[in-house]
Amino acid sequence: MSKNSRRAFLLGTGALLGGWAVNSYHTDPIPVGTRLSAPMGDPLLLNDASELSPTKVAKHITVTDNFGAENLAALRAELKAAESERRPVIASAARHSMGGQSMAGGGTTYTFAHDWLELDASALTFRTGAGTRWSTVIAKLDAAGFSPAVMQSNNDFGVAATYSVNAHGWPVPFGPMGHTVRSIQIMLADGQLVTASRTENADIFFAAMGGYGLIGIITEMEIDMVPNARLEPTFEMVEPLNFGPEFVRAIKGITGVQMAYGRMDISKDRFLEQAMMITYRPTADQSDLPPAPGSGWLSRRARDIFRAQLGSDIAKHGRWWFESSLGPRIGGGATTRNALLNEPVITLDDRDPDRTDILHEYFISPENFGAFIAACREIIPSSYQELLNITLRYVQPDNEAWLGYAPVERIAAVMLFSQEKSLRAEEDAKRMTQALIDAAIRLGGTYYLPYRLHARPDQIAAGYAGLRPFAAKKRAMDPKLLFRNALWDQYIGRV
């Protein structure tokens, strides 16, 4: 442990001890999900990426050092204290979930920020701390000629958080990131630290995969990596109603596609009437790969164009022209796998105090995807929500995670809406969300759980066959319900 990390400091009632920045609060908490503006300087009123989930916690502990014996003992002590005081505990990293999944109202919320990584080139794996950000993973692997097999589409997130929501990415042909995890170390509610994998404590491994931190606190992980590669894109316009089968054809054909995604025109006068498929294949020359850069000028310029879309169909036309015509001409050259992954989400930050960006995601089988797009054409324009982007990705079947969203192969539709920070906007978003979920479920699909908690209880039950088994497993492992969050309180804990 570094000398600086042992330095004590005062921040209200906070202190930095052993690499843990601890803030304590001992009055009645504000209920999870209460809508309010967080007072400046209150270290115990936390929020997530939605900016709509202000949550008062009893303790906020930021872990900046690795989990050696000292910090493991401190974690056990905190779990024991929380159990005796009947307050919940949850772990988080960047808190990019949007419905209170990463906070424990009235309890202890951990923020993991310990960055370390060791790679094993012969096994094509790397070991890393739970709070390590993907930006660190890319930097370390890139220097050695490797790349994460699967990660989210931005590099701001923590690796254990990605596993805990079982996020997918756009490298293909892969399923969710959990498929690339070899093993985890996880502390259970009784303070026991166990190793879990597909061959050891497999029930814990699959419950924690996409388990939203409700099974235990992950401290360390072993994850697959692949060689980095120089890739060249191909841009192809596709009829939107045929996008699902065409996307699968491109990815699963004998074409060597390593990364792929789709985009759609979201201008109001031609809503979802055009689609483009972008696929990346290795070039013949794989020598002397350049280091992965951060955001380039094209990304920064894209942000200006992206944000100009708010309330302007002219800007949406311009954005679609930029992506489908100009972009392929000026930014369509060879790049590397790591360069494509090394992009922070803040590139597209809205910077508007009165609005926030809200994500949705729906998973539909390729053959039914056209019908879902047809439903979106009816549902979204009838709302007051401002759709700024829709990205399409491929997800291989996942029959491992208890709360899996892809029992068969799926096309994922990732939607980004700009929303007012108001009760009116929330009610409208809830109505639209429930209509979209109904459409997805009617077509045999489902929706993603890390976002706003707008679904009806019957919708989560219909979309997640593993909901009741997961709840039973969680209660068996954590009978006093130590690990809790808003997702548990509103849905899972009620089944």
Side-chain angles (χ1 to χ4, degrees), residues 33-50:
T34 299
R35 305 297 193 261
L36 47 81
S37 296
M40 292 297 292
D42 185 346
L44 293 164
L45 190 57
L46 304 182
N47 215 324
D48 55 30
S50 72

PDB file of all heavy atoms in Angstrom, residues 33-50:
ATOM      1  N   GLY A  33     -34.761   5.993  -5.330  1.00  0.00           N
ATOM      2  CA  GLY A  33     -35.588   6.429  -6.437  1.00  0.00           C
ATOM      3  C   GLY A  33     -36.266   7.764  -6.220  1.00  0.00           C
ATOM      4  O   GLY A  33     -36.961   8.246  -7.106  1.00  0.00           O
ATOM      5  N   THR A  34     -36.101   8.388  -5.051  1.00  0.00           N
ATOM      6  CA  THR A  34     -36.707   9.697  -4.836  1.00  0.00           C
ATOM      7  C   THR A  34     -36.143  10.698  -5.830  1.00  0.00           C
ATOM      8  O   THR A  34     -34.945  10.742  -6.059  1.00  0.00           O
ATOM      9  CB  THR A  34     -36.416  10.184  -3.398  1.00  0.00           C
ATOM     10  OG1 THR A  34     -36.983   9.249  -2.487  1.00  0.00           O
ATOM     11  CG2 THR A  34     -37.019  11.549  -3.157  1.00  0.00           C
ATOM     12  N   ARG A  35     -37.010  11.494  -6.437  1.00  0.00           N
ATOM     13  CA  ARG A  35     -36.564  12.473  -7.419  1.00  0.00           C
ATOM     14  C   ARG A  35     -36.267  13.787  -6.714  1.00  0.00           C
ATOM     15  O   ARG A  35     -37.135  14.396  -6.103  1.00  0.00           O
ATOM     16  CB  ARG A  35     -37.646  12.713  -8.482  1.00  0.00           C
ATOM     17  CG  ARG A  35     -38.116  11.445  -9.184  1.00  0.00           C
ATOM     18  CD  ARG A  35     -36.988  10.763  -9.973  1.00  0.00           C
ATOM     19  NE  ARG A  35     -37.518   9.753 -10.847  1.00  0.00           N
ATOM     20  CZ  ARG A  35     -37.517   8.459 -10.563  1.00  0.00           C
ATOM     21  NH1 ARG A  35     -37.021   8.036  -9.433  1.00  0.00           N
ATOM     22  NH2 ARG A  35     -38.025   7.595 -11.423  1.00  0.00           N
ATOM     23  N   LEU A  36     -35.044  14.229  -6.779  1.00  0.00           N
ATOM     24  CA  LEU A  36     -34.653  15.500  -6.191  1.00  0.00           C
ATOM     25  C   LEU A  36     -33.328  15.913  -6.786  1.00  0.00           C
ATOM     26  O   LEU A  36     -32.684  15.170  -7.495  1.00  0.00           O
ATOM     27  CB  LEU A  36     -34.570  15.413  -4.661  1.00  0.00           C
ATOM     28  CG  LEU A  36     -33.814  14.221  -4.053  1.00  0.00           C
ATOM     29  CD1 LEU A  36     -32.316  14.461  -4.073  1.00  0.00           C
ATOM     30  CD2 LEU A  36     -34.255  14.012  -2.614  1.00  0.00           C
ATOM     31  N   SER A  37     -32.926  17.132  -6.489  1.00  0.00           N
ATOM     32  CA  SER A  37     -31.612  17.607  -6.903  1.00  0.00           C
ATOM     33  C   SER A  37     -30.653  17.410  -5.746  1.00  0.00           C
ATOM     34  O   SER A  37     -30.946  17.790  -4.619  1.00  0.00           O
ATOM     35  CB  SER A  37     -31.669  19.091  -7.286  1.00  0.00           C
ATOM     36  OG  SER A  37     -32.488  19.278  -8.411  1.00  0.00           O
ATOM     37  N   ALA A  38     -29.534  16.800  -6.026  1.00  0.00           N
ATOM     38  CA  ALA A  38     -28.574  16.518  -4.968  1.00  0.00           C
ATOM     39  C   ALA A  38     -27.888  17.796  -4.513  1.00  0.00           C
ATOM     40  O   ALA A  38     -27.358  18.544  -5.330  1.00  0.00           O
ATOM     41  CB  ALA A  38     -27.522  15.527  -5.480  1.00  0.00           C
ATOM     42  N   PRO A  39     -27.893  18.096  -3.200  1.00  0.00           N
ATOM     43  CA  PRO A  39     -27.190  19.277  -2.717  1.00  0.00           C
ATOM     44  C   PRO A  39     -25.699  19.180  -3.018  1.00  0.00           C
ATOM     45  O   PRO A  39     -25.107  18.113  -2.911  1.00  0.00           O
ATOM     46  CB  PRO A  39     -27.453  19.244  -1.207  1.00  0.00           C
ATOM     47  CG  PRO A  39     -28.605  18.328  -1.021  1.00  0.00           C
ATOM     48  CD  PRO A  39     -28.540  17.345  -2.139  1.00  0.00           C
ATOM     49  N   MET A  40     -25.117  20.280  -3.390  1.00  0.00           N
ATOM     50  CA  MET A  40     -23.691  20.297  -3.666  1.00  0.00           C
ATOM     51  C   MET A  40     -22.922  19.976  -2.384  1.00  0.00           C
ATOM     52  O   MET A  40     -23.244  20.465  -1.297  1.00  0.00           O
ATOM     53  CB  MET A  40     -23.262  21.665  -4.186  1.00  0.00           C
ATOM     54  CG  MET A  40     -23.814  21.991  -5.570  1.00  0.00           C
ATOM     55  SD  MET A  40     -23.214  20.858  -6.839  1.00  0.00           S
ATOM     56  CE  MET A  40     -21.474  21.346  -6.870  1.00  0.00           C
ATOM     57  N   GLY A  41     -21.925  19.132  -2.495  1.00  0.00           N
ATOM     58  CA  GLY A  41     -21.054  18.861  -1.373  1.00  0.00           C
ATOM     59  C   GLY A  41     -21.545  17.786  -0.438  1.00  0.00           C
ATOM     60  O   GLY A  41     -20.891  17.515   0.565  1.00  0.00           O
ATOM     61  N   ASP A  42     -22.700  17.156  -0.700  1.00  0.00           N
ATOM     62  CA  ASP A  42     -23.164  16.069   0.162  1.00  0.00           C
ATOM     63  C   ASP A  42     -22.570  14.766  -0.354  1.00  0.00           C
ATOM     64  O   ASP A  42     -22.995  14.245  -1.384  1.00  0.00           O
ATOM     65  CB  ASP A  42     -24.686  15.999   0.154  1.00  0.00           C
ATOM     66  CG  ASP A  42     -25.231  14.955   1.126  1.00  0.00           C
ATOM     67  OD1 ASP A  42     -24.435  14.113   1.588  1.00  0.00           O
ATOM     68  OD2 ASP A  42     -26.434  14.984   1.420  1.00  0.00           O
ATOM     69  N   PRO A  43     -21.577  14.198   0.322  1.00  0.00           N
ATOM     70  CA  PRO A  43     -20.901  13.007  -0.203  1.00  0.00           C
ATOM     71  C   PRO A  43     -21.712  11.734  -0.057  1.00  0.00           C
ATOM     72  O   PRO A  43     -21.289  10.684  -0.527  1.00  0.00           O
ATOM     73  CB  PRO A  43     -19.626  12.938   0.640  1.00  0.00           C
ATOM     74  CG  PRO A  43     -20.011  13.567   1.933  1.00  0.00           C
ATOM     75  CD  PRO A  43     -20.989  14.662   1.590  1.00  0.00           C
ATOM     76  N   LEU A  44     -22.864  11.813   0.608  1.00  0.00           N
ATOM     77  CA  LEU A  44     -23.658  10.618   0.842  1.00  0.00           C
ATOM     78  C   LEU A  44     -24.968  10.599   0.070  1.00  0.00           C
ATOM     79  O   LEU A  44     -25.786   9.718   0.245  1.00  0.00           O
ATOM     80  CB  LEU A  44     -23.944  10.474   2.341  1.00  0.00           C
ATOM     81  CG  LEU A  44     -22.670  10.190   3.141  1.00  0.00           C
ATOM     82  CD1 LEU A  44     -22.892  10.426   4.605  1.00  0.00           C
ATOM     83  CD2 LEU A  44     -22.187   8.773   2.885  1.00  0.00           C
ATOM     84  N   LEU A  45     -25.167  11.571  -0.778  1.00  0.00           N
ATOM     85  CA  LEU A  45     -26.297  11.559  -1.691  1.00  0.00           C
ATOM     86  C   LEU A  45     -25.748  11.179  -3.063  1.00  0.00           C
ATOM     87  O   LEU A  45     -25.201  12.010  -3.785  1.00  0.00           O
ATOM     88  CB  LEU A  45     -27.002  12.909  -1.725  1.00  0.00           C
ATOM     89  CG  LEU A  45     -28.335  12.939  -2.477  1.00  0.00           C
ATOM     90  CD1 LEU A  45     -29.316  11.923  -1.899  1.00  0.00           C
ATOM     91  CD2 LEU A  45     -28.943  14.328  -2.433  1.00  0.00           C
ATOM     92  N   LEU A  46     -25.865   9.915  -3.407  1.00  0.00           N
ATOM     93  CA  LEU A  46     -25.284   9.377  -4.630  1.00  0.00           C
ATOM     94  C   LEU A  46     -26.309   9.385  -5.751  1.00  0.00           C
ATOM     95  O   LEU A  46     -27.511   9.436  -5.521  1.00  0.00           O
ATOM     96  CB  LEU A  46     -24.778   7.958  -4.399  1.00  0.00           C
ATOM     97  CG  LEU A  46     -23.769   7.757  -3.275  1.00  0.00           C
ATOM     98  CD1 LEU A  46     -23.331   6.288  -3.225  1.00  0.00           C
ATOM     99  CD2 LEU A  46     -22.564   8.673  -3.432  1.00  0.00           C
ATOM    100  N   ASN A  47     -25.817   9.290  -6.968  1.00  0.00           N
ATOM    101  CA  ASN A  47     -26.673   9.204  -8.137  1.00  0.00           C
ATOM    102  C   ASN A  47     -26.011   8.282  -9.139  1.00  0.00           C
ATOM    103  O   ASN A  47     -24.849   7.878  -8.970  1.00  0.00           O
ATOM    104  CB  ASN A  47     -26.917  10.585  -8.740  1.00  0.00           C
ATOM    105  CG  ASN A  47     -28.320  10.735  -9.315  1.00  0.00           C
ATOM    106  OD1 ASN A  47     -28.882   9.792  -9.863  1.00  0.00           O
ATOM    107  ND2 ASN A  47     -28.891  11.925  -9.199  1.00  0.00           N
ATOM    108  N   ASP A  48     -26.734   7.930 -10.177  1.00  0.00           N
ATOM    109  CA  ASP A  48     -26.156   7.117 -11.234  1.00  0.00           C
ATOM    110  C   ASP A  48     -26.209   7.884 -12.544  1.00  0.00           C
ATOM    111  O   ASP A  48     -26.515   9.080 -12.564  1.00  0.00           O
ATOM    112  CB  ASP A  48     -26.837   5.747 -11.328  1.00  0.00           C
ATOM    113  CG  ASP A  48     -28.353   5.833 -11.501  1.00  0.00           C
ATOM    114  OD1 ASP A  48     -28.827   6.830 -12.107  1.00  0.00           O
ATOM    115  OD2 ASP A  48     -29.060   4.922 -11.042  1.00  0.00           O
ATOM    116  N   ALA A  49     -25.923   7.209 -13.638  1.00  0.00           N
ATOM    117  CA  ALA A  49     -25.797   7.898 -14.921  1.00  0.00           C
ATOM    118  C   ALA A  49     -27.096   8.511 -15.400  1.00  0.00           C
ATOM    119  O   ALA A  49     -27.083   9.413 -16.244  1.00  0.00           O
ATOM    120  CB  ALA A  49     -25.260   6.926 -15.978  1.00  0.00           C
ATOM    121  N   SER A  50     -28.228   8.076 -14.864  1.00  0.00           N
ATOM    122  CA  SER A  50     -29.501   8.667 -15.266  1.00  0.00           C
ATOM    123  C   SER A  50     -29.664  10.090 -14.747  1.00  0.00           C
ATOM    124  O   SER A  50     -30.433  10.875 -15.295  1.00  0.00           O
ATOM    125  CB  SER A  50     -30.663   7.827 -14.737  1.00  0.00           C
ATOM    126  OG  SER A  50     -30.794   7.971 -13.324  1.00  0.00           O
TER     127      SER A  50
END
